[in-house]
Each structure stands twice: as structure tokens, then as C-alpha cells.
Amino acid sequence: MKLEKIGMREIMPTAPFDFDATFHKPDHFTSGDNSWEPGIKWQTWNWHGKQLGLKFVRHGATEEPRMLAEKYSQHAMGDAFITVLVGEVRYRNNLDVDLSAFYVALADDPVLGPITRRWRGMRPGHPSSLYEYLVGGIVRLFWLELHQ
């Protein structure tokens, strides 16, 4: 399937935001429909019956985050469709979550403080389906049971 670039939007997540730690989760069971390299994430999506290619590109820093979202499709999409799609991307990747209280609470913790500093700006969640997330969790629990 050949997809054409149909648009690009700038997205500004809340700070702090770590693009790579948010978009690259190698511990999840991936479906093979995505690709990541530092600063760039490609993802296929079937959204409202339309097959899409999404490319996310880091354009900011942790404290001043910006990213570009490029959309690819076989068909033109209206502004309303793209606005709803961007809203879904924001939701699934927790781009609007405010983690400032979390970082303040753990800043001086001797165990968790270094970890939160290392992963500052990483967002929780997973952009794939709930089914995939549940299967991953069940497999991890099964693995833990076998190895105790």
C-alpha cells in the first residue's frame, strides 16, 4: 500500500517531556507495525476505518518540548478528522499529563530519585490496544511465576 503525506501538525506536550523514552518502549510486545530511531517514531494506525501512517519527530527539548506529527494516507483527510486524530495521539501517549508533583515528591528519595532523574519526562502508557497491553501483562506475570 502506498501512502501519501496528507499533513503535518506541531504538538507541544506538557513539560517535562522525553520523546524517546515515551515513544520507545522495548519491553512491550510490539506488533511489528512501527519503527523507532532516536528522535523519530513511525507507526501505522487504522483509525475510523482509514489506514494511516504516522511519523512523530522530536523538535524540542525536555523542558521545552515540541514534536511534529506527519500523517500519511491514500485519501485526503479534513481538518476535523486530523484534529480528532491528534487528540487521540495526545491521549494514548499521555502528552498532556502533568508529572511535576511526581518529580517534586521523589526528588530527594535515595532510591527513586536517581531513577526519576534519569527518566525525567517519560510518559506512562502504551499507544496500542488495551488487549495488547493486557496480554503483555499476563505473559509477564506468568514468566515471574515460572522463575520464582
Side-chain angles (χ1 to χ4, degrees), residues 22-44:
T22 297
F23 280 98
H24 182 56
K25 306 264 197 267
D27 64 322
H28 288 280
F29 295 98
T30 59
S31 57
D33 66 344
N34 62 79
S35 178
W36 171 84
E37 61 185 68
I40 300 173
K41 165 80 179 220
W42 286 92
Q43 178 70 52
T44 62

Side-chain angles (χ1 to χ4, degrees), residues 43-63:
Q43 178 70 52
T44 62
W45 253 18
N46 185 335
W47 179 250
H48 291 263
K50 308 253 190 267
Q51 288 74 39
L52 304 170
L54 302 176
K55 180 182 179 185
F56 304 105
V57 181
R58 177 184 56 221
H59 269 277
T62 302
E63 299 305 324

Side-chain angles (χ1 to χ4, degrees), residues 68-127:
L68 294 178
E70 298 177 6
K71 291 90 158 166
Y72 296 81
S73 176
Q74 289 183 318
H75 309 285
M77 307 290 167
D79 263 357
F81 181 90
I82 302 247
T83 297
V84 172
L85 174 65
V86 168
E88 185 69 13
V89 167
R90 293 185 79 90
Y91 170 75
R92 288 188 183 214
N93 293 286
N94 286 302
L95 300 182
D96 297 321
V97 70
D98 180 3
L99 296 172
S100 56
F102 172 78
Y103 290 118
V104 168
L106 296 176
D108 296 326
D109 187 280
V111 175
L112 298 177
I115 296 168
T116 58
R117 283 189 291 280
R118 164 62 181 93
W119 294 104
R120 182 173 173 77
M122 179 178 75
R123 303 301 167 92
H126 195 274

